[in-house]
Every structure is written in C-alpha cells, then in structure tokens.
Amino acid sequence: MITIDYKDRRPIYEQIVERISQLVAGGVLKPDEQLPSVRQLALELSINPNTIQRAYSELESAGVIYAQKGKGNFVSLNSADAKKEFKRLVFTKLNDLILQADSCGIGQDEFTGECARIYHGLGEGKEQ
C-alpha cells in the first residue's frame, strides 16, 4: 500500500504521511482501522523505525490517526475529513510550486495554462 520514491526530493516521512492521508481520504483505510506497527512498517519499507514514528506523529498532529498506548495507531478521520486534510497537503505543495515558478519567471498565465493542459490530459486518460 505504501511505496517510497527515492528520487523524490521530499523526506521519506512526508511521502508516508501523504500516502496514508491518501488511503484514508480514498476510503481504503476506515475509521478505527489499525495501522501497521512502527516496526512492521519499517521492516516492510526497509527504512528506519524513527522515520515511521515521525510520520505517525505528523499524522497524529494533523488528526488523521490516533494512538492507543499498548495497542497501536488507528485511523481517526472519516473519508470526508481525511479529504480535507489531504487537500490541505496538496494546496501546501501547490503554494510551494507557485513560489518556485514565480522565482524563475513563470507567470500566472503560463502556470495556469500548464495546469489546465495537465488536467485536460488526465481527463483524456493520457499519461503525463
């Protein structure tokens, strides 16, 4: 369910936060469903358990999951609330992209035109 893209510039914990948020928003992970333990997920992904713990801490701070001492981590949001949180993550990334675009001289018209082209391609099932 979770894969790590080592070519992605974002830290691994952020990728995990994003993917779990997506799974909750999409209804794949249901409220009160238990997540894999920190150790189990770290073994599955072959990464340091501290990275998983940081991702789980971020998700807990955002209200996406909750921890029960001695039992593990569980999904706290329903899909509607998770979609709101996932949108917040997407818009945060979009804000960063807009700042980068502006800093290298990409204007609003060019930026929004490219966004429209990409969306149009998605609607036609084209790979971007």
Side-chain angles (χ1 to χ4, degrees):
M1 284 198 311
I2 298 174
T3 56
I4 304 300
D5 180 1
Y6 291 99
K7 294 178 183 175
D8 192 327
R9 292 182 180 185
R10 294 176 300 145
I12 292 171
Y13 83 91
E14 285 183 10
Q15 294 180 48
I16 294 167
V17 167
E18 179 179 352
R19 184 63 180 136
I20 291 175
S21 296
Q22 277 181 323
L23 292 169
V24 174
V28 175
L29 294 173
K30 308 286 186 212
D32 299 318
E33 184 172 340
Q34 187 169 9
L35 295 174
S37 71
V38 169
R39 285 185 186 153
Q40 179 185 353
L41 192 53
L43 283 172
E44 285 177 23
L45 299 175
S46 299
I47 59 175
N48 190 310
N50 292 332
T51 303
I52 304 299
Q53 186 57 53
R54 182 161 182 195
Y56 279 6
S57 294
E58 293 280 326
L59 288 162
E60 188 173 5
S61 294
V64 176
I65 67 172
Y66 64 93
Q68 280 191 341
K69 193 166 181 93
K71 292 188 178 186
N73 293 287
F74 299 84
V75 175
S76 61
L77 295 178
N78 61 39
S79 61
D81 290 336
K83 283 179 185 176
K84 287 179 190 175
E85 176 58 21
F86 187 68
K87 280 184 182 181
R88 186 191 66 75
L89 291 172
V90 169
F91 289 137
T92 298
K93 282 198 246 178
L94 180 60
N95 185 64
D96 293 343
L97 283 174
I98 290 170
L99 291 173
Q100 290 174 3
D102 184 58
S103 71
C104 70
I106 298 172
Q108 180 179 354
D109 291 340
E110 183 180 2
F111 188 89
T112 56
E114 185 64 12
C115 288
R117 186 192 67 75
I118 292 168
Y119 263 103
H120 181 71
L122 290 175
E124 294 177 358
K126 294 180 183 174
E127 190 175 39
Q128 296 298 314

